[in-house]
Amino acid sequence: DLWWKNAVIYCLDVQTFADSDGDGVGDFNGLTERVDYLAGLGVTCVWLMPFYCTADLDDGYDISDHYAIDPRLGTFGDFTEFMTVATDRGLRVIADLVVNHTSDQHRWFQQARQSRDSEFRDFYVWQDSVPDSGPTGVVFPGKQEAVWTYDTSAGQYYLHRFYRHQPDLNVAEERVRDEIRKMIGFWMAQGLSGFRVDAVPFFLETAGIDQAMELAPHDYLRDLRAFVDRRRGDAALLGEVNLPAEQQREFFGDEDGDELNMLFDFLGMQATYLALARGLATPVADSLRNRPDVPDESAFASFLRNHDELTLDKLTDRERQEVFDAFGPDPDMQIYGRGLRRRLPPMFGGHPHRIRMSFSLMFSMPGAPSLFYGEEIGMGENLNIEGRLAVRTPMQWDAGPVAGFTSAPADALTRPVPEGDYSPDRVNVASQRMDETSLLNWFERLIRLRKELPEVGWGACQVLDVDDEILALRFDWEGRRLVTVHNFSGHKATARFAIEDASRLDDLFGTAKPAAVRKQTARVELPAYGYRWLRLVS
């Protein structure tokens, strides 16, 4: 019942996945028609980016009504039909829980700004002047200048850690916390299996709030988790927590794990790109060794790309520049001075072995793998689109100017598709389905393999001592023993490591001969950017 320990998560935006009515915008009916594709791919959990009513100034993250469907995406009946079909195909569905802020068009804020006596005034954070001790540091450098904005109707400044059109909710206000519980309860009643919780550290932040909070921030997170467990015992909270390792551990809760069920492994992702840039596995090995121990029922979620910028903010300036030089040397490929707005295949120049090694690595990291839509076919970005939206282009189902995404003309697309080497004519689902050597068919085998190896999600993981260009991991769980080996270099390499409890290592993902074990030492040959998944046999 702890399904998240061994899940394969697939993130998509309804707006950019499939259009059923020919208006150029994806919708729930289009998504429902593609549920069998997701089930066939083998993913177990679909993560929906925001689909609620929105002012649409931040791609849906500026929510104006948490209980209503964005009319561009369909009706509530369309959503229910999607949930019914997804459940029938064995897929769990989670959705973004965006409760750090609302849109300034939300009725709460519109009423709050009209009068200090408004019942919604305390739903937001107000000050007569910018406080000296309040929160500092903008989230989007170059896009926002401050975290406080003066509202002439309210006659006060309001706090917004993100854009000025996204006022922060006041988590110290009990009625706000009640409303958040209601939102969670409402959507779980519609069948959701949990939530990806947006911007968790900002959500729990109380700096700048004069009102005393009766609960400590982590006590409130613990309270939310208890509410989720009461309403649906098998639901999960997956948190966006991009913090140093010692602070990450706090968000799992006590030793039994009574706060977030899962955290995205931002540190492991950033270490992976540094390792790929250097051709050395040591940054990933160090990241795994420094990972905090997590409660038995909790897990990390591994990823190589999500819907936001590919942030590198936890690397040093020098390390970040190494990654920029390798994968985004053009300033237009970079964003906010801390990340990249690119997808992985173009960063690797389309190198097939390097791409597959990287995703094999991600799937072999301890925890649950999380894919961003289109990664399974090697989609690229469109740098002609501003900011983070460069990687949020329509899903490429077929060749042609509209990628099989819609029946509308190309100029009606919600966003333009990539051009050149990553255009729909060169990268699409239809053609890869017909090619048994395609990335899509490779992904189906990888996902099937990962689901058959619960020790990766459940077992104890050990980083084995090998040469710096190789990462070798051993997993042990209930008598099952697995070793994964990945070569980060562009040349042949040999992994040698101690094995005392096996006579050979059988290949699980390929056609290579078993690796021999002699004198309690295994010897595994790897081609450039090679990888092997090996079962220990006594």
Side-chain angles (χ1 to χ4, degrees), residues 360 483-487 505-509 511-515 523-527 530-534:
S360 171
V483 171
T484 63
V485 189
H486 291 81
N487 178 13
L505 284 76
D506 287 351
D507 200 301
L508 300 179
F509 193 32
T511 58
K513 295 179 180 179
R523 177 188 173 97
V524 180
E525 303 289 343
L526 296 165
Y531 52 89
R532 293 184 71 180
W533 295 56
L534 302 161

Side-chain angles (χ1 to χ4, degrees), residues 497-500 502-503 516-522:
F497 48 90
I499 290 291
E500 299 178 355
S503 61
V517 177
R518 295 186 177 88
K519 298 181 179 180
Q520 298 184 336
T521 299

Side-chain angles (χ1 to χ4, degrees), residues 201-346:
F202 294 111
F203 163 47
L204 298 181
E205 184 179 60
T206 58
I209 302 176
D210 292 337
Q211 181 179 352
M213 186 169 174
E214 62 190 57
L215 294 173
H218 280 277
D219 287 338
Y220 173 48
L221 191 57
R222 199 169 285 116
D223 177 73
L224 270 188
R225 166 67 183 281
F227 176 81
V228 169
D229 288 348
R230 288 195 304 273
R231 287 296 179 93
R232 178 168 176 167
D234 64 346
L237 296 176
L238 168 56
E240 180 190 28
V241 181
N242 181 18
L243 292 173
E246 61 274 11
Q247 293 176 259
Q248 283 183 333
R249 178 61 185 83
E250 300 174 17
F251 289 83
F252 284 114
D254 64 18
E255 61 183 22
D256 293 325
D258 59 353
E259 294 186 39
L260 296 174
N261 304 85
M262 302 180 73
L263 266 65
F264 282 109
D265 187 11
F266 279 93
L267 302 182
M269 178 274 290
Q270 297 180 54
T272 296
Y273 280 98
L274 180 60
L276 293 168
R278 291 177 173 176
L280 297 173
T282 45
V284 180
D286 291 343
S287 175
L288 287 171
R289 291 187 177 108
N290 293 328
R291 245 190 191 188
D293 292 331
V294 303
D296 289 342
E297 296 185 359
S298 306
F300 277 103
S302 302
F303 67 105
L304 288 178
R305 138 70 58 208
N306 60 16
H307 61 296
D308 278 327
E309 78 271 13
L310 198 162
T311 185
L312 304 167
D313 66 321
K314 295 301 181 289
L315 300 181
T316 66
D317 291 345
R318 182 175 178 179
E319 290 169 341
R320 188 180 309 111
Q321 191 59 52
E322 286 184 62
V323 180
F324 283 167
D325 291 344
F327 303 130
D330 187 334
D332 188 48
M333 299 173 177
Q334 304 164 18
I335 188 169
Y336 308 137
R338 66 181 181 225
L340 294 165
R341 58 191 204 102
R342 308 196 70 195
R343 283 183 178 256
L344 186 142

Side-chain angles (χ1 to χ4, degrees), residues 69-114:
I69 305 290
D70 182 341
R72 298 174 305 162
L73 310 183
T75 66
F76 212 101
D78 298 334
F79 168 81
T80 303
E81 181 69 10
F82 158 70
M83 290 297 302
T84 300
V85 175
T87 301
D88 179 70
R89 303 304 193 271
L91 297 173
R92 292 180 180 270
V93 181
I94 65 174
D96 266 298
L97 180 67
V98 186
V99 288
N100 173 71
H101 52 259
T102 69
S103 166
D104 61 5
Q105 301 304 304
H106 197 290
R107 66 179 182 88
W108 295 345
F109 189 75
Q110 287 298 309
Q111 293 187 44
R113 64 196 294 261
Q114 297 305 316

Side-chain angles (χ1 to χ4, degrees), residues 31-78:
L31 173 57
T32 301
E33 292 171 0
R34 297 293 185 174
V35 165
D36 285 320
Y37 166 80
L38 298 172
L41 184 60
V43 301
T44 64
C45 176
V46 177
W47 156 23
L48 299 178
M49 290 169 61
F51 52 82
Y52 320 99
C53 275
T54 174
D56 201 28
L57 297 177
D58 186 22
D59 201 25
Y61 284 87
D62 51 330
I63 299 171
S64 57
D65 187 344
H66 288 86
Y67 296 98
I69 305 290
D70 182 341
R72 298 174 305 162
L73 310 183
T75 66
F76 212 101
D78 298 334

Side-chain angles (χ1 to χ4, degrees), residues 107-157:
R107 66 179 182 88
W108 295 345
F109 189 75
Q110 287 298 309
Q111 293 187 44
R113 64 196 294 261
Q114 297 305 316
S115 168
R116 296 195 184 204
D117 296 327
S118 168
E119 62 176 309
F120 296 105
R121 186 72 167 199
D122 289 339
F123 274 43
Y124 299 90
V125 183
W126 303 93
Q127 293 287 352
D128 290 328
S129 59
V130 176
D132 294 332
S133 59
T136 59
V138 296
V139 175
F140 302 121
K143 296 295 181 180
Q144 60 178 134
E145 297 179 358
V147 297
W148 294 94
T149 289
Y150 187 76
D151 184 85
T152 54
S153 294
Q156 285 185 301
Y157 291 85

Side-chain angles (χ1 to χ4, degrees), residues 1-10 42-47 90-94 193 236 238 262 299-302 362-371 446-447 450-454 456-458:
D1 57 346
L2 304 178
W3 59 268
W4 54 87
K5 295 279 289 184
N6 208 44
V8 179
I9 302 167
Y10 188 96
V43 301
T44 64
C45 176
V46 177
W47 156 23
L91 297 173
R92 292 180 180 270
V93 181
I94 65 174
S193 291
L238 168 56
M262 302 180 73
F300 277 103
S302 302
M362 186 192 87
F363 271 70
S364 71
M365 297 287 273
S370 177
L371 285 169
L446 175 66
I447 292 171
R450 174 62 185 79
K451 288 162 65 177
E452 293 172 355
L453 298 173
V456 181
W458 282 90

